[in-house]
């Protein structure tokens, strides 16, 4: 059990940014020699509690007794800690053996000459593990030479709210963790790229996109000589799964950097 609390506490540390909090300064209200208390206090000392904006509240739901409390009056954004409750609800309502189903449907069967004379529907169900290879395998199983109709991408199992209101700001969009929440998920709705400095200073950095059919990038990052001042590069979303990267990169940046972009238009991905 202590190991579980240790993991949860570390998640709290990583998930909560340094944001405003109440003026009250509170100390742990449980002062005893329990193993839980010693474990948590040890972690607080290890990760520098004085400079860390952290809060902990551990309560026994059977008897409502508070086992540990540290800065319970501070205000925090829920952030990634919400994933714990999401996972719990999924296991409770879907069952650990639940399987997502992604289907290809048509109004007519494939004719003898290999033609489907109707629209073809790809019905997504929010499978977080679904990949382009899975989609390719499904089309191969259809065994049709021609589709005499439209291919319709169906993501109606989820609503159109792809992000929580106020959950992300505009400069979050380039990052993989801002990928839209949708029934249509392919490769986690992200795409990777790699950037490395050019051979000569003043030239644009080298950019390799893993799948340029999915992700478009306008590269305006310049290679510069190393200096004391930081050399940031930034990115902004232009729409239709296209980004611009700009700024600079030091010439001595060995190995380059890996980039993982969210693909905001997931219907475009499926098409």
């Amino acid at each position: 059990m202590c190991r579980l609390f240790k993991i949860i506490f570390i998640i709290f540390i990583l998930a909560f940014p340094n944001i405003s909090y109440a003026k009250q300064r509170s100390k742990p209200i449980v002062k005893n020699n329990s193993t839980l208390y010693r474990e948590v206090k040890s972690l607080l000392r290890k990760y520098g509690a004085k400079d860390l904006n952290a809060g902990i509240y551990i309560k026994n739901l059977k008897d409502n007794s508070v086992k540990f409390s540290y800065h319970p009056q501070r205000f925090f954004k829920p952030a990634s800690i919400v994933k714990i409750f999401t996972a719990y609800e999924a296991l409770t309502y879907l069952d650990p053996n639940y399987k997502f189903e992604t289907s290809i449907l048509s109004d007519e069967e494939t004719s003898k000459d290999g033609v489907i004379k109707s629209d073809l529907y790809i019905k997504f169900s929010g499978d977080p593990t679904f990949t382009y290879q899975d989609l390719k395998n499904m089309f191969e199983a259809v065994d049709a030479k021609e589709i005499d109709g439209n291919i319709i991408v169906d993501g109606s199992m989820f609503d159109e709210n792809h992000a929580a209101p106020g959950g992300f700001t505009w400069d979050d969009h380039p990052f993989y963790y801002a990928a839209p929440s949708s029934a249509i998920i392919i490769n986690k709705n992200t795409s990777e790229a790699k950037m490395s400095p050019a051979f000569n200073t003043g030239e644009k950095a080298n950019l390799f996109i893993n799948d340029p059919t999915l992700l478009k990038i306008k590269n305006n990052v310049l290679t510069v000589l190393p200096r004391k001042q930081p050399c940031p590069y930034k990115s902004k979303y232009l729409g239709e799964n296209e980004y611009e990267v700009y700024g600079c990169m030091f010439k001595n940046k060995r190995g380059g950097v890996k980039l993982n972009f969210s693909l905001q238009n997931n219907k475009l991905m499926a098409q």
Side-chain angles (χ1 to χ4, degrees):
M1 183 61 71
C2 288
R3 179 180 176 84
L4 174 60
F5 284 126
K6 185 183 295 184
I7 293 172
I8 293 175
F9 169 64
I10 293 173
I11 292 174
F12 261 89
I13 291 174
L14 295 176
F16 295 144
N18 187 20
I19 53 180
S20 60
Y21 53 87
K23 292 183 179 180
Q24 298 96 322
R25 295 186 62 83
S26 53
K27 296 180 179 179
I29 62 175
V30 178
K31 294 185 177 180
N32 56 42
N33 295 321
S34 69
T35 302
L36 172 61
Y37 180 81
R38 293 195 303 272
E39 287 279 345
V40 175
K41 286 294 290 183
S42 175
L43 286 168
L44 287 172
R45 287 192 297 269
K46 180 178 179 181
Y47 290 99
K50 290 183 179 180
D51 302 320
L52 188 68
N53 188 27
I56 308 170
Y57 191 81
I58 301 174
K59 183 177 181 179
N60 187 323
L61 297 181
K62 291 184 178 180
D63 58 14
N64 289 326
S65 61
V66 178
K67 297 302 181 183
F68 192 90
S69 175
Y70 182 79
H71 294 156
Q73 302 301 323
R74 287 189 178 182
F75 301 114
F76 298 93
K77 283 186 177 180
S80 291
I81 199 70
V82 174
K83 294 175 184 176
I84 294 177
F85 306 108
T86 304
Y88 175 81
E89 290 297 300
L91 290 172
T92 300
Y93 289 97
L94 298 181
D95 185 81
N97 297 318
Y98 179 85
K99 293 184 178 180
F100 293 89
E101 292 186 3
T102 304
S103 309
I104 293 182
L105 309 169
S106 64
D107 298 321
E108 301 289 339
E109 295 184 358
T110 306
S111 64
K112 293 182 179 180
D113 55 354
V115 178
I116 297 178
K117 297 182 178 180
S118 71
D119 293 337
L120 197 70
Y121 304 87
I122 310 174
K123 187 172 182 61
F124 288 87
S125 64
D127 184 351
T129 66
F130 194 77
T131 66
Y132 270 104
Q133 186 60 49
D134 294 327
L135 188 60
K136 180 181 178 181
N137 294 342
M138 291 177 65
F139 268 99
E140 290 177 351
V142 172
D143 195 26
K145 298 178 181 178
E146 182 182 346
I147 300 171
D148 187 10
N150 298 313
I151 297 179
I152 300 172
V153 179
D154 183 357
S156 60
M157 184 170 285
F158 288 15
D159 60 31
E160 292 297 318
N161 296 319
H162 294 166
F168 295 114
T169 59
W170 67 269
D171 52 351
D172 282 323
H173 286 162
F175 300 103
Y176 66 94
Y177 57 75
S181 174
S182 168
I184 304 169
I185 300 177
I186 307 175
N187 288 2
K188 299 180 180 180
N189 289 348
T190 63
S191 188
E192 295 182 346
K194 185 176 181 180
M195 187 166 58
S196 59
F199 183 78
N200 297 315
T201 57
E203 294 181 352
K204 291 183 179 180
N206 300 313
L207 183 67
F208 173 77
I209 304 174
N210 286 14
D211 194 336
T213 62
L214 296 177
L215 176 66
K216 307 294 182 183
I217 300 178
K218 289 183 178 180
N219 177 20
N220 289 312
V221 176
L222 296 179
T223 304
V224 299
L225 291 173
R227 59 177 186 244
K228 290 184 179 180
Q229 294 83 3
C231 183
Y233 53 89
K234 299 181 179 180
S235 55
K236 65 179 179 180
Y237 186 56
L238 303 177
E240 300 300 310
N241 294 339
E242 182 178 6
Y243 288 88
E244 178 188 4
V245 290
Y246 56 96
C248 57
M249 172 175 276
F250 289 150
K251 190 176 184 301
N252 63 348
K253 182 69 175 179
R254 295 182 178 179
V257 293
K258 290 184 179 180
L259 307 173
N260 195 356
F261 291 88
S262 67
L263 298 178
Q264 297 294 314
N265 190 335
N266 49 2
K267 286 186 178 180
L268 187 63
M269 291 175 58
Q271 294 169 351

